[in-house]
Amino acid sequence: MSVERPFLTEEGEALIGLAREIADGELAPKVEEFEAERRFPRELFRLLGRAGLLGLPYPEEHGGSGVPYELYLQVLEEIAARWLAVAEGLSVHTLACYPVAAYGTDLQRKKHLPDMLGGELLGAYCLSEPHCGSDAAALTTRADDGPDGFVVRGTKAWITHAGQADFYNVFARTGGPGAKGISCLLVNAETPGVVPQVPEKTMGLRSSVVAQLAFEGAVVSADRLVGERDGGFRIALAALDGGRLGIAACAVGLAQAALDYAAAYAKEREQFGRPIAEFQGVAFMLADMATQIAAARALYLSAARLRDAGRPHSAEAAKAKLFCTDTAMRVTTDAVQVLGGAGYVSDHPVERYMREAKVLQIFEGTNQIQRVVIARSL
């Protein structure tokens, strides 16, 4: 992918160049093998960490890179264009660092963030449960008071990096029903009683690990409470604003990869004595794909600028997530159509792109929930 990014600073251009170098040299050659084997690329996340890409939007004083969210998202887009599962994992890790970075005490930030952002550790975010996905305030996992802190019991569902992460942000009920009784806990993966379940067999993102995570009386010390007790739901929603922008950027990267492949194929594939790209039916389809991607990219970047300016952006993040992921679904479907029968077999990556695009409309809040958020803002 060689998208022109005309408004980057010199430092931004260098960072995008680094991301492209790693994506082309280390990620792209391995994606088909790892996806086919459903193998999680843990060492590649360590590589990204050593390159400084696991803590991009967080302050340098805590081990991050201090780059604007607008630039971080463009890095995500570049990586997603080569390997969506890795970009999604990077987005999840960034999301998992947010509660401590934004709501932790000075002591918690000093103690935990350098390792979380330094590259060797990988994080996960535990909000959804088997019976409550969109209705997150109905969660039932409990964190009861015990002699040594909190005793956590319950099950989380659809946890990216379950069993692979080194730390989990766990949202559990410490008070009464509803949103006001939920707290956020930073849980070490090696804590006794934290039990990853068998990974799900997903349609796409097959090299990403997604599973339920059971808490069987796991004891978490009181100093790992992040933010105020019973105030965790606000943290969860604030974190999702950033996570939704991450998924929006991933969606644009995936869509761009599909367009690039379809356009190259259309210029080489001949029918009736000329390349199919010269037929108006195909050419207009490619033109629509390119326009939708450009609009999607502009939308997520606009929302990111609001975030960087410290302005409210929840509705804009929802709009970006909604539009960008719907665009990815349309564009990848059209890319398969451009290739015809060839697009339906695994010899070409567009069938994988189409499978991967579907989940982008579902996680970090389904696109129906995004419409609820947007409608409420009106």
Side-chain angles (χ1 to χ4, degrees):
M1 184 178 78
S2 57
V3 174
E4 291 188 11
R5 304 185 184 276
F7 303 111
L8 292 177
T9 63
E10 184 175 338
E11 292 79 6
E13 288 181 356
L15 181 58
I16 293 296
L18 173 63
R20 286 175 174 169
E21 180 181 350
I22 293 174
D24 289 333
E26 301 292 339
L27 303 185
K30 299 179 176 68
V31 57
E32 296 296 342
E33 174 189 352
F34 277 70
E35 285 288 321
E37 297 176 3
R38 292 186 179 272
R39 182 149 51 105
F40 183 68
R42 184 65 179 89
E43 284 304 313
L44 291 179
F45 283 99
R46 292 191 176 95
L47 172 65
L48 293 177
R50 287 192 289 271
L53 300 184
L54 286 188
L56 286 175
Y58 293 109
E60 293 180 85
E61 63 184 289
H62 297 307
S65 298
V67 307
Y69 225 75
E70 179 183 358
L71 180 54
Y72 152 68
L73 293 178
Q74 292 178 82
V75 170
L76 267 188
E77 183 191 333
E78 292 285 344
I79 294 174
R82 280 74 164 188
W83 193 343
L84 180 63
V86 172
E88 180 252 356
L90 174 54
S91 178
V92 167
H93 175 79
T94 303
L95 171 69
C97 294
Y98 177 82
V100 171
Y103 291 89
T105 64
D106 290 340
L107 180 60
Q108 286 174 328
R109 286 194 286 267
K110 183 177 180 181
K111 180 179 180 181
H112 299 297
L113 276 182
D115 289 337
M116 292 164 69
L117 302 176
E120 291 301 315
L121 302 185
L122 191 65
Y125 185 82
C126 305
L127 180 61
S128 294
E129 296 185 357
H131 73 287
C132 67
S134 296
D135 185 12
L139 64 83
T140 60
T141 295
R142 288 205 60 87
D144 294 313
D145 293 315
D148 299 313
F150 298 97
V151 181
V152 185
R153 295 183 177 87
T155 302
K156 293 295 180 177
W158 308 113
I159 307 305
T160 300
H161 301 157
Q164 293 288 341
D166 300 290
F167 64 92
Y168 299 100
N169 284 274
V170 180
F171 293 89
R173 192 161 300 285
T174 49
K180 294 183 179 180
I182 296 169
S183 295
C184 178
L185 301 175
L186 179 64
V187 181
N188 192 308
E190 297 179 353
T191 303
V194 177
V195 186
Q197 305 299 292
V198 177
E200 308 287 354
K201 294 181 179 179
T202 54
M203 178 192 297
L205 295 179
R206 292 173 176 173
S207 60
S208 177
V209 177
V210 179
Q212 292 189 1
L213 193 66
F215 294 87
E216 301 174 352
V219 177
V220 180
S221 59
D223 63 356
R224 284 181 167 257
L225 172 67
V226 180
E228 297 179 359
R229 183 182 178 118
D230 297 340
F233 197 67
R234 181 166 64 98
I235 299 175
L237 295 184
L240 286 175
D241 285 342
R244 286 165 179 168
L245 289 178
I247 296 306
C250 287
V252 172
L254 181 68
Q256 185 69 56
L259 170 61
D260 290 348
Y261 196 92
Y265 182 91
K267 287 186 282 188
E268 295 178 0
R269 171 70 168 168
E270 292 190 358
Q271 291 288 279
F272 306 102
R274 54 183 173 144
I276 62 173
E278 294 183 8
F279 291 97
Q280 192 176 81
V282 174
F284 279 14
M285 186 181 295
L286 293 171
D288 286 344
M289 293 159 71
T291 302
Q292 291 162 10
I293 291 169
R297 181 177 293 116
L299 189 59
Y300 90 65
L301 288 175
S302 175
R305 292 181 191 116
L306 287 175
R307 183 185 179 92
D308 286 332
R311 298 181 61 182
H313 61 284
S314 293
E316 301 309 312
K319 292 173 187 175
K321 197 273 183 183
L322 167 64
F323 186 80
C324 292
T325 59
D326 280 355
T327 293
M329 193 73 251
R330 284 193 301 272
V331 167
T332 55
T333 301
D334 286 347
V336 171
Q337 191 70 23
V338 169
L339 269 68
Y344 200 67
V345 297
S346 59
D347 295 343
H348 299 275
V350 291
E351 64 85 27
R352 171 169 59 84
Y353 296 158
M354 183 177 172
R355 287 186 287 104
E356 291 175 336
K358 185 65 238 178
V359 76
L360 298 176
Q361 296 177 302
I362 297 171
F363 58 20
E364 302 286 15
T366 66
N367 281 6
Q368 286 68 36
I369 289 296
Q370 306 312 315
R371 289 175 169 90
V372 170
V373 173
I374 297 163
R376 283 176 179 168
S377 75
L378 301 178

